[in-house]
């Protein structure tokens, strides 16, 4: 025998879960937990068993449930049970389940009525249940017995509160009919955690054990001590029935007979009993399901819209249609050409915000990396002067020269120009690498056709390699052209006379005004170490100074460092640091910043370091090329110059410096233009005009346009998901129309619960308050007006409840919606009368 009302909900929930399973997702439909709260021997376990339809909980007198039992019901074709502490063991005999619960309870709490907050986790699989969580809690007690601690009441209360404070927990406050309802601990606890009364349902048990001539009609009609969701009366099996193996089905029939035959309950029999309690709870479950549907619907509609555009392309897909393959090939090649063009020339769509790539990176190579590479190979001053002196002496030969030979100038200049081949060829290699990376990024859109993707990459990469040789030949030709003729008539060349008059200096800084060259974040690492940690600042580099600020608003300037006599050099990266560091220092051995000879600046990448070095180069801060003076070790001769030779060397040195500045400016302009014309523009033209023809000649069209297994699988999945989403939305619509949401009943005046909680316990010498089993002076026939309820004693702990005779309100028939308590006619409220004290 299962829970029939629950079984009616099973198809509804299963349809919803099947809809999500078809999408490969889990249905996040978390149904409420149901906790049964009450005193000892109130019938909590019996109420709980009725939801499962099986006898499996321990029975007896006193405190039987001594550990929380978390019972998870799982919809399954087979019926069996599993314990968390007995993994892998299936219980098909529910008598064994009861014995295991008793044994596990005794194992932790002992044999002498001890309690524990450690729950027993039991999972019951059955085709007759929903995926619910039921919680059987120990009964509320006040007096410790056996091995129970002195604070037993506090411990059980805290144990119960752990479960019922959850918003997703329905509370069944169980009270026996033969006790005082106004002092019900279950209702007090429920009131604390659910002051609005939306989660609390009163359950009155043991109605069949009330004294003859008494009944609980006023309570069950929600008149005497009202709750927002009212009360449901149930009649559980007695211990004699359980010992006699009376099953739950027979017990429910006996319960139904009791309510129909009892004169006080026959008019409300359709709203009493375990089936009605199940109906009320299942209506709460239905309301919960309906409340979750809007979120599910929005989620599914969002997914449907996100794949709708892609699905449209798949709907009319015909794998073997040759025209489809031809059209797709043309579209793919055209899209590849457009993407390559955008990545090189720049575009507003699909902007990479993580790193420089494509045309932006090539631009950095042209204007930062290439000029910096030229400066890095800059000649060593001491070595240069030595080479000039050797050239002058070798030209004069055995004779002592009286004049400065111009042949020495040409020899030195040509040697320096040839050194430019290295940086120029390196810039070609860097551009080629970036072009190949760009091609690979553009071919990602062709991944659905593996052969097409591979052939496109191969053909374009081969063409780039072909252009590499021609571009490098042209770059070397430009250098050779500069070597072939030294134009001393150039308008920017200083000439021999001016070279003799110029003062000796290694570098001549070009004045470009105090314009801003670069801004960005840098970390001052060596100063930060002294203060307990490196710190980042906002740096601004101009033609005359390097300043840093607290942040990029540039309001609070920390320091301004003049660039005079500054040089930059690399700092070895620490093994404990991920930063890349370079340092600024003064060539005259002066402190750069306060007491620091070096200012170490850190970047996140080597690329940032190179970029800052190139910017410092524009400002006239050159890399340090100082070398140790022990390079002369092993040489037999000790180099020295006479004053005349020294003047000649200085003159040649000035001429070389002037002419090389002309050559550097020319090379820095021509090399990017050469690469752009012979490499980048040529590759773009090749992709637009020749790529398609070479693809056709390389392989058969059918082979090129053969789909990958992943793409075919994705297409099938997208079409299946599209249909499943539409079906799921339809199911949600069906559930919305097939179920009825019952609104919450209006609030009632349940202040009696609060008042009873604050009142002192009744004195044993004063008049006893009437219980539910006390005579209510109502005719047993249930007809006619009832006289007023006797007033309680002065120390009973609750004010008298006024009762006015009159006709009873009409009750809804069995065809009306269930779950809501009958509406009590409104009447003016008045303050309770004061209670006299003795």
């Amino acid at each position: 025998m299962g829970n029939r009302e629950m079984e009616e909900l099973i198809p509804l929930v299963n349809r919803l879960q099947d809809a999500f399973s078809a999408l490969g997702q889990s249905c996040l439909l978390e149904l409420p937990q149901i906790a049964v709260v009450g005193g000892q021997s109130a019938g909590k376990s019996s109420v709980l068993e009725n939801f499962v339809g099986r006898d499996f909980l321990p029975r007896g007198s006193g405190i039987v449930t001594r550990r929380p039992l978390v019972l998870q019901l799982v919809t399954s074709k087979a019926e069996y049970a599993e314990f968390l502490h007995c993994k892998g063991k299936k219980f098909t005999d529910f008598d064994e389940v009861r014995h295991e619960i008793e044994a596990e309870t005794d194992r932790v709490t002992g044999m002498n009525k001890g309690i524990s907050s450690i729950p027993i986790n039991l999972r019951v699989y059955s085709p007759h249940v929903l995926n619910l969580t039921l919680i059987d809690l120990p009964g509320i007690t006040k007096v410790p017995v056996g091995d129970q601690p002195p604070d037993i009441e506090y411990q059980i209360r805290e144990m119960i509160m752990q479960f019922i404070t959850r918003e997703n927990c329905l509370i069944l406050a169980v009270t026996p009919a033969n006790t005082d309802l106004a002092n019900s601990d279950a209702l007090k606890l429920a009131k604390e955690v659910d002051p609005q009364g939306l989660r609390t349902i009163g359950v009155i048990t043991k109605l069949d054990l009330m004294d003859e001539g008494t009944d609980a009609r006023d309570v069950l009609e929600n008149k005497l001590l009202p709750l927002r969701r009212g009360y449901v009366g149930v009649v559980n099996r007695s211990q004699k029935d359980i010992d006699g193996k009376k099953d739950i089905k027979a017990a429910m029939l006996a319960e139904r007979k009791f309510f129909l035959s009892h004169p006080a309950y026959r008019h409300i029999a359709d709203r009493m009993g375990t089936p009605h309690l199940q109906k009320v709870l299942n209506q709460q479950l239905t309301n919960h399901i309906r409340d979750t549907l809007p979120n599910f619907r929005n989620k599914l509609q969002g997914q449907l819209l996100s794949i709708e555009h892609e699905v449209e392309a798949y709907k009319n897909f015909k794998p073997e249609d040759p025209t489809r393959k031809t059209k797709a090939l043309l579209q793919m090649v055209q899209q590849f050409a457009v993407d390559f063009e955008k990545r090189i020339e720049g575009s507003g769509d699909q902007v990479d915000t993580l790193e420089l790539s494509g045309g932006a990176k090539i631009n950095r190579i042209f204007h930062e990396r290439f000029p910096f590479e030229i400066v890095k190979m800059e000649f060593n001053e001491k070595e240069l002067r030595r080479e000039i002196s050797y050239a002058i002496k070798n030209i004069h030969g055995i004779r002592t020269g009286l004049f400065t030979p111009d042949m020495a100038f040409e020899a030195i200049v040509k040697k320096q120009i040839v050194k430019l081949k290295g940086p120029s060829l390196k810039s070609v290699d860097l551009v080629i690498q970036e072009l190949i990376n760009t091609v690979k990024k553009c071919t990602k859109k062709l991944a659905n056709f593996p052969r097409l993707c591979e052939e496109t990459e191969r053909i374009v990469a081969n063409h780039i390699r072909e252009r590499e040789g021609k571009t490098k030949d042209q770059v070397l030709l430009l250098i050779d052209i500069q070597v072939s003729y030294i134009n001393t008539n150039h308008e920017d060349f200083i000439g021999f006379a001016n070279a003799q008059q110029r003062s000796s200096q290694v570098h001549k800084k070009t004045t470009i005004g105090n314009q801003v060259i670069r801004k960005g974040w840098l970390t001052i690492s060596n100063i930060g170490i002294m203060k307990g940690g490196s710190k980042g600042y906002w740096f601004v580099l101009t033609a005359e100074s390097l300043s840093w600020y607290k942040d990029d608003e540039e309001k609070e300037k920390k320091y301004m460092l003049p660039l005079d006599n500054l040089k930059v050099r690399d700092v070895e990266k620490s093994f404990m640091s991920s930063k890349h560091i370079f340092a600024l220092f003064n060539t005259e051995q002066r402190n750069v910043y306060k007491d620091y000879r070096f200012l170490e600046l850190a970047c996140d990448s080597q690329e940032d370091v190179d970029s800052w070095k190139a910017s410092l180069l524009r400002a006239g801060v050159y890399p340090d090329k100082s070398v140790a003076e022990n390079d002369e070790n092993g040489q037999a001769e000790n180099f020295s110059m006479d004053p005349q030779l020294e003047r000649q060397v200085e003159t040649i040195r000035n001429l070389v410096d002037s002419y090389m500045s002309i050559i550097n400016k020319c090379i820095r302009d021509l090399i990017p233009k050469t690469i752009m014309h012979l490499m980048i523009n040529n590759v773009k033209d090749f992709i637009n005009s020749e790529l398609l023809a070479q693809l056709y000649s390389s392989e058969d069209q059918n082979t090129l346009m053969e789909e990958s297994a992943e793409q075919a699988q994705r297409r099938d999945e997208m079409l299946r998901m599209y249909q499943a989403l539409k079906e799921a939305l339809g199911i949600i619509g069906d559930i919305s129309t097939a179920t009825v949401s019952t609104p919450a009943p209006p609030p009632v005046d349940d202040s009696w619960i609060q008042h009873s909680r604050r009142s002192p316990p009744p004195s044993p010498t004063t008049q006893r308050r009437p219980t539910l089993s006390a005579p209510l002076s109502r005719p047993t026939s249930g007809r006619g007006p009832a006289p007023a309820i006797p007033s309680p004693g002065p120390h009973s702990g609750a004010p008298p409840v006024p009762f006015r005779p009159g006709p009873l309100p009409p009750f809804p028939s069995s065809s009306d919606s269930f779950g809501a308590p009958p509406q009590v006619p409104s009447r003016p409220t008045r303050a309770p009368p004061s209670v006299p004290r003795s």
Side-chain angles (χ1 to χ4, degrees):
M1 169 63 184
N3 180 345
R4 189 176 64 183
E5 299 297 336
M6 187 178 290
E7 290 178 10
E8 293 177 358
L9 268 181
I10 292 174
L12 182 149
V13 176
N14 286 346
R15 288 186 66 196
L16 190 60
Q17 290 175 336
D18 289 344
F20 276 81
S21 297
L23 301 175
Q25 302 174 11
S26 60
C27 179
L28 303 176
L29 185 60
E30 184 184 358
L31 293 179
Q33 297 177 343
I34 300 173
V36 185
V37 183
Q40 288 184 16
S41 302
K44 303 184 301 300
S45 297
S46 297
V47 171
L48 205 58
E49 280 182 334
N50 292 333
F51 288 97
V52 185
R54 287 281 190 172
D55 289 324
F56 65 97
L57 294 176
R59 301 285 181 159
S61 60
I63 182 167
V64 178
T65 305
R66 293 181 285 135
R67 290 176 60 184
L69 176 67
V70 180
L71 174 62
Q72 293 177 283
L73 305 182
V74 181
T75 304
S76 174
K77 294 181 180 179
E79 189 171 37
Y80 61 94
E82 288 182 345
F83 286 94
L84 185 62
H85 62 272
C86 298
K87 293 183 178 179
K89 184 177 180 180
K90 294 183 179 181
F91 294 81
T92 55
D93 185 350
F94 281 81
D95 286 336
E96 293 183 13
V97 173
R98 182 189 304 111
H99 294 151
E100 181 61 32
I101 293 174
E102 293 172 346
E104 178 64 14
T105 301
D106 292 340
R107 186 184 66 81
V108 175
T109 64
M111 304 289 290
N112 195 16
K113 307 296 183 181
I115 66 165
S116 172
S117 61
I118 302 174
I120 298 174
N121 290 274
L122 172 62
R123 186 171 292 177
V124 174
Y125 298 83
S126 172
H128 308 295
V129 298
L130 270 181
N131 294 331
L132 286 176
T133 300
L134 308 174
I135 304 167
D136 189 17
L137 295 167
I140 303 169
T141 185
K142 299 182 183 295
V143 180
V145 295
D147 292 336
Q148 294 176 357
D151 61 343
I152 181 69
E153 179 182 6
Y154 172 79
Q155 288 193 21
I156 292 180
R157 173 189 169 88
E158 291 302 309
M159 194 186 306
I160 293 172
M161 295 294 277
Q162 288 178 8
F163 293 94
I164 66 175
T165 50
R166 301 168 185 168
E167 289 297 323
N168 202 33
C169 181
L170 298 179
I171 305 169
L172 295 186
V174 179
T175 305
N178 52 5
T179 61
D180 189 353
L181 182 66
N183 291 326
S184 170
D185 290 316
L187 290 174
K188 291 178 187 177
L189 293 175
K191 178 69 174 177
E192 288 184 34
V193 299
D194 181 32
Q196 301 298 321
L198 294 173
R199 299 189 284 121
T200 305
I201 299 174
V203 179
I204 307 298
T205 60
K206 303 187 179 181
L207 291 167
D208 55 331
L209 301 182
M210 295 183 71
D211 295 338
E212 187 176 353
T214 63
D215 60 58
R217 175 174 173 174
D218 281 342
V219 173
L220 295 177
E221 289 177 353
N222 210 32
K223 292 180 181 179
L224 181 60
L225 302 169
L227 287 177
R228 185 165 187 173
R229 291 199 177 274
Y231 299 86
V232 177
V234 298
V235 177
N236 296 324
R237 293 175 298 167
S238 65
Q239 190 62 42
K240 180 180 178 182
D241 293 334
I242 296 171
D243 295 339
K245 304 297 182 181
K246 185 176 183 179
D247 64 12
I248 293 179
K249 182 177 182 180
M252 287 189 178
L253 291 175
E255 179 187 54
R256 178 67 175 166
K257 182 179 179 181
F258 170 81
F259 284 112
L260 288 174
S261 61
H262 198 290
Y265 309 133
R266 63 176 57 154
H267 66 292
I268 54 173
D270 59 331
R271 289 182 286 110
M272 292 293 113
T274 300
H276 179 70
L277 178 60
Q278 294 172 348
K279 189 179 296 185
V280 171
L281 288 174
N282 278 280
Q283 184 59 56
Q284 296 301 312
L285 302 182
T286 304
N287 288 351
H288 179 82
I289 293 171
R290 287 178 58 86
D291 291 342
T292 60
L293 292 185
N295 288 336
F296 284 151
R297 183 185 292 110
N298 292 340
K299 177 182 177 182
L300 296 181
Q301 286 177 340
Q303 290 180 330
L304 189 67
L305 289 175
S306 65
I307 67 172
E308 204 161 20
H309 178 72
E310 186 175 352
V311 169
E312 284 297 323
Y314 294 148
K315 283 184 177 179
N316 301 319
F317 182 78
K318 297 178 181 179
E320 303 304 325
D321 185 2
T323 59
R324 179 197 66 81
K325 293 185 177 182
T326 303
K327 182 179 179 182
L329 178 59
L330 289 172
Q331 290 176 342
M332 291 289 183
V333 173
Q334 289 174 355
Q335 185 63 47
F336 174 77
V338 170
D339 290 344
F340 186 83
E341 177 93 15
K342 286 183 177 180
R343 286 185 176 273
I344 297 299
E345 299 296 334
S347 171
D349 57 342
Q350 299 179 352
V351 177
D352 188 351
T353 59
L354 301 178
E355 62 177 358
L356 286 180
S357 61
K361 193 163 186 177
I362 293 174
N363 178 275
R364 170 177 278 191
I365 293 170
F366 285 163
H367 301 296
E368 292 185 5
R369 189 67 182 270
F370 178 52
F372 181 68
E373 291 294 332
I374 292 178
V375 175
K376 278 206 320 186
M377 51 74 60
E378 187 179 280
F379 32 75
N380 177 267
E381 184 69 23
K382 186 176 181 180
E383 187 67 28
L384 177 62
R385 288 179 178 274
R386 178 179 296 171
E387 289 179 0
I388 294 174
S389 67
Y390 285 159
I392 293 174
K393 288 183 175 182
N394 287 331
I395 289 173
H396 287 155
I398 198 171
R399 294 173 286 107
T400 302
L402 300 177
F403 303 101
T404 305
D406 56 352
M407 292 177 62
F409 163 72
E410 283 200 16
I412 297 298
V413 164
K414 288 180 179 180
K415 185 175 180 180
Q416 299 303 321
I417 293 176
V418 170
K419 290 182 179 180
L420 294 175
K421 290 183 178 181
S424 300
L425 294 177
K426 185 174 182 179
S427 65
V428 175
D429 292 333
L430 292 173
V431 171
I432 288 173
Q433 185 60 46
E434 186 55 35
L435 286 178
I436 292 176
N437 291 339
T438 302
V439 170
K440 290 181 178 179
K441 290 179 180 179
C442 293
T443 54
K444 286 182 179 179
K445 292 186 178 180
L446 311 180
N448 295 337
F449 305 95
R451 288 300 303 159
L452 176 63
C453 181
E454 292 174 9
E455 282 300 300
T456 302
E457 280 190 18
R458 183 186 64 80
I459 293 172
V460 178
N462 287 344
H463 182 75
I464 291 175
R465 293 302 178 189
E466 290 176 6
R467 300 307 302 176
E468 176 186 6
K470 296 181 179 180
T471 305
K472 287 184 174 181
D473 289 344
Q474 184 64 29
V475 166
L476 294 176
L477 179 61
L478 289 175
I479 305 295
D480 291 340
I481 289 173
Q482 297 293 343
V483 173
S484 64
Y485 177 66
I486 305 301
N487 182 16
T488 56
N489 236 8
H490 194 280
E491 57 185 4
D492 294 332
F493 187 59
I494 60 173
F496 184 78
N498 293 331
Q500 287 181 315
Q501 297 174 4
R502 287 181 60 181
S503 60
S504 175
Q505 57 182 1
V506 178
H507 297 291
K508 188 74 176 178
K509 181 177 174 180
T510 305
T511 303
I512 56 176
N514 196 27
Q515 68 182 50
V516 175
I517 297 175
R518 185 186 178 93
K519 295 182 179 182
W521 289 98
L522 288 173
T523 301
I524 303 179
S525 59
N526 60 325
I527 297 176
I529 291 174
M530 305 295 181
K531 295 184 178 181
S534 57
K535 190 173 182 182
Y537 294 98
W538 179 258
F539 279 74
V540 177
L541 174 65
T542 67
E544 297 179 356
S545 66
L546 178 67
S547 305
W548 57 91
Y549 298 82
K550 180 180 178 182
D551 50 42
D552 54 4
E553 294 182 1
E554 299 182 17
K555 292 181 179 179
E556 185 179 341
K557 180 183 287 189
K558 293 294 183 180
Y559 196 75
M560 185 179 74
L561 177 66
L563 300 182
D564 296 333
N565 300 320
L566 288 186
K567 279 196 174 185
V568 61
R569 74 177 183 185
D570 291 324
V571 177
E572 186 176 352
K573 181 181 176 183
S574 171
F575 73 96
M576 296 183 63
S577 173
S578 61
K579 297 282 188 178
H580 298 261
I581 305 174
F582 65 96
L584 296 175
F585 68 97
N586 193 295
T587 56
E588 298 179 355
Q589 302 299 316
R590 296 179 180 177
N591 291 338
V592 176
Y593 172 66
K594 295 184 178 179
D595 296 331
Y596 300 98
R597 287 291 182 92
F598 298 94
L599 185 66
E600 293 185 359
L601 304 175
C603 303
D604 292 330
S605 66
Q606 185 61 42
E607 193 171 316
D608 290 336
V609 171
D610 293 341
S611 179
W612 271 101
K613 286 182 180 179
S615 299
L616 288 167
L617 178 63
R618 290 183 57 197
V621 180
Y622 292 88
D624 177 31
K625 288 294 180 179
S626 61
V627 293
E629 295 186 1
N630 59 0
D631 58 351
E632 296 181 6
N633 292 342
Q635 295 186 9
E637 56 181 335
N638 186 15
F639 177 75
S640 63
M641 289 188 290
D642 57 63
Q644 181 181 354
L645 180 60
E646 190 170 346
R647 286 194 298 271
Q648 293 176 347
V649 169
E650 185 65 30
T651 301
I652 298 294
R653 171 68 185 85
N654 291 335
L655 290 173
V656 170
D657 188 32
S658 174
Y659 196 79
M660 285 306 298
S661 65
I662 297 172
I663 297 299
N664 286 343
K665 186 182 296 184
C666 180
I667 292 299
R668 287 171 60 177
D669 180 61
L670 285 178
I671 296 300
K673 291 179 178 178
T674 302
I675 297 174
M676 192 72 192
H677 175 68
L678 295 177
M679 177 73 68
I680 299 174
N681 289 341
N682 185 275
V683 171
K684 287 195 297 183
D685 293 340
F686 172 80
I687 291 174
N688 284 313
S689 59
E690 299 183 34
L691 175 60
L692 184 61
Q694 291 207 20
L695 283 171
Y696 271 116
S697 63
S698 64
E699 283 196 32
D700 177 66
Q701 175 182 314
N702 292 330
T703 305
L704 283 175
M705 299 307 295
E706 185 175 341
E707 268 189 325
S708 65
E710 292 80 5
Q711 172 62 13
Q713 182 180 355
R714 174 174 174 77
R715 184 179 65 253
D716 294 339
E717 287 178 354
M718 295 298 289
L719 291 171
R720 180 185 59 79
M721 180 175 287
Y722 183 77
Q723 294 300 325
L725 284 169
K726 293 183 68 176
E727 181 181 353
L729 287 170
I731 290 173
I732 288 179
D734 293 342
I735 293 175
S736 298
T737 57
T739 57
V740 178
S741 179
T742 303
V748 296
D749 182 13
D750 58 359
S751 59
W752 60 273
I753 302 178
Q754 296 174 329
H755 189 82
S756 64
R757 188 173 63 220
R758 292 193 300 264
S759 300
S763 171
T765 60
T766 58
Q767 180 180 356
R768 186 176 65 86
R769 176 187 178 89
T771 65
L772 293 183
S773 59
L776 298 182
S777 303
R778 180 185 296 278
T780 56
S781 63
R783 301 188 187 95
I789 299 174
S791 300
H795 300 285
S796 60
V801 181
F803 181 84
R804 298 186 179 182
L808 294 174
F811 290 97
S813 64
S814 58
S815 61
D816 293 339
S817 62
F818 54 84
Q823 302 297 319
V824 181
S826 61
R827 56 190 178 191
T829 59
R830 61 185 180 183
S834 61
V835 180
R837 298 183 179 273
S838 57

